[in-house]
Amino acid sequence: TTEVTLDRTSFAAGTYTLEVFASASCDPTGFGEGDRLVGHFEGIGPGVSNFNLTELVPGNQFLTATATDANGNTSEFSACVPISAVILVVNVNDSGAGSLREAMTTANVSGGTITFAIPGVNAATPGVINLLSPLPAITQQMTVDATTQSGFDGQPVVEIHSPGGNNWAGFNILANNVTVRGFSITGFNQGIFAWQGQTGILIEQNIVGSNRLHVAGQGNGLGVGVRASNSVIRHNAIVGN
């Protein structure tokens, strides 16, 4: 499902009917009507509440809402906001449901944020994703954030590893506004590469060429190569490449 947060802190006391609408694009005014109703809730103002919509709304769509008080007075449409899909990685498998590969494939359709909740992974026992083929190139705006994994303490607890002897890139970035955060990246021809013509790339809090256990011989041919404009590389350890 798609979860939304409805902020009613500016409302007067009372009971309200809240309706949420989805659209493929935002009205040029920023406050226009929605294409279809995707949620209908009762709320008491003022307050903040989370609700699940009646359908999964893709990450490339927009939401807007109205509120109707007990006397039948309905507000104008709220400002439209983009959907931010959160996609969860729950195992270290090369592929299949819950894998990083599956999450990236999903995010390549409509963007979103990839987060991690892999059981058993912690500072003492990092999770290693041993890849059998390259991860999909990143072709949509997204955030891939391994700092969300339980056990992250400023150093990565999630590692992506290539068997070597190939020309793979750990993360091959072909889109604008991409963040890669909180990984150990080892054994690749290129650890992270963002191509010329892209913009808004953020690479941070990664160990590129080793891991938190400092295992030798894990380097990449090239650590980080970013030709994209308006991009930031910060708080990484780029070693052994």
Side-chain angles (χ1 to χ4, degrees):
T1 62
T2 300
E3 184 179 78
V4 296
T5 299
L6 296 176
D7 185 346
R8 308 180 311 282
T9 53
S10 63
F11 286 21
T15 301
Y16 295 85
T17 299
L18 309 168
E19 293 185 318
V20 180
F21 300 83
S23 304
S25 61
C26 194
D27 187 272
T29 66
F31 293 85
E33 296 182 4
D35 290 340
R36 66 189 188 281
L37 179 68
V38 293
H40 180 99
F41 316 103
E42 299 297 323
I44 298 174
V48 178
S49 301
N50 292 333
F51 300 99
N52 289 320
L53 301 182
T54 55
E55 66 177 75
L56 178 64
V57 181
N60 59 351
Q61 299 217 346
F62 297 82
L63 297 179
T64 188
T66 62
T68 302
D69 66 18
N71 296 319
N73 300 306
T74 300
S75 69
E76 65 178 2
F77 280 86
S78 69
C80 65
V81 295
I83 286 286
S84 178
V86 177
I87 307 160
L88 193 61
V89 176
V90 296
N91 60 54
V92 296
N93 297 344
D94 168 77
S95 61
S99 68
L100 175 59
R101 185 184 304 278
E102 180 76 10
M104 292 176 65
T105 300
T106 300
N108 272 338
V109 175
S110 56
T113 298
I114 297 173
T115 63
F116 289 74
I118 303 172
V121 169
N122 52 52
T125 56
V128 181
I129 301 172
N130 288 298
L131 296 173
L132 303 177
S133 62
L135 289 170
I138 295 174
T139 57
Q140 284 279 357
Q141 173 180 325
M142 70 176 72
T143 295
V144 192
D145 190 355
T147 69
T148 56
Q149 173 64 46
S150 176
F152 180 83
D153 58 0
Q155 293 191 63
V157 292
V158 176
E159 177 179 350
I160 60 169
H161 179 71
S162 161
N166 55 58
N167 63 353
W168 305 353
F171 291 102
N172 184 18
I173 301 172
L174 302 176
N176 299 328
N177 303 314
V178 172
T179 295
V180 175
R181 179 184 295 125
F183 290 89
S184 294
I185 302 170
T186 59
F188 294 90
N189 183 50
Q190 300 171 324
I192 303 173
F193 196 82
W195 292 86
Q196 187 173 356
Q198 312 322 133
T199 187
I201 309 303
L202 174 59
I203 310 298
E204 64 179 358
Q205 294 178 273
N206 303 285
I207 301 177
V208 185
S210 187
N211 54 38
R212 67 180 296 127
L213 302 178
H214 307 295
V215 176
Q218 299 289 300
N220 306 285
L222 170 71
V224 178
V226 175
R227 298 179 180 176
S229 62
N230 300 315
S231 298
V232 176
I233 305 170
R234 64 188 182 193
H235 310 313
N236 302 281
I238 303 173
V239 297
N241 301 290

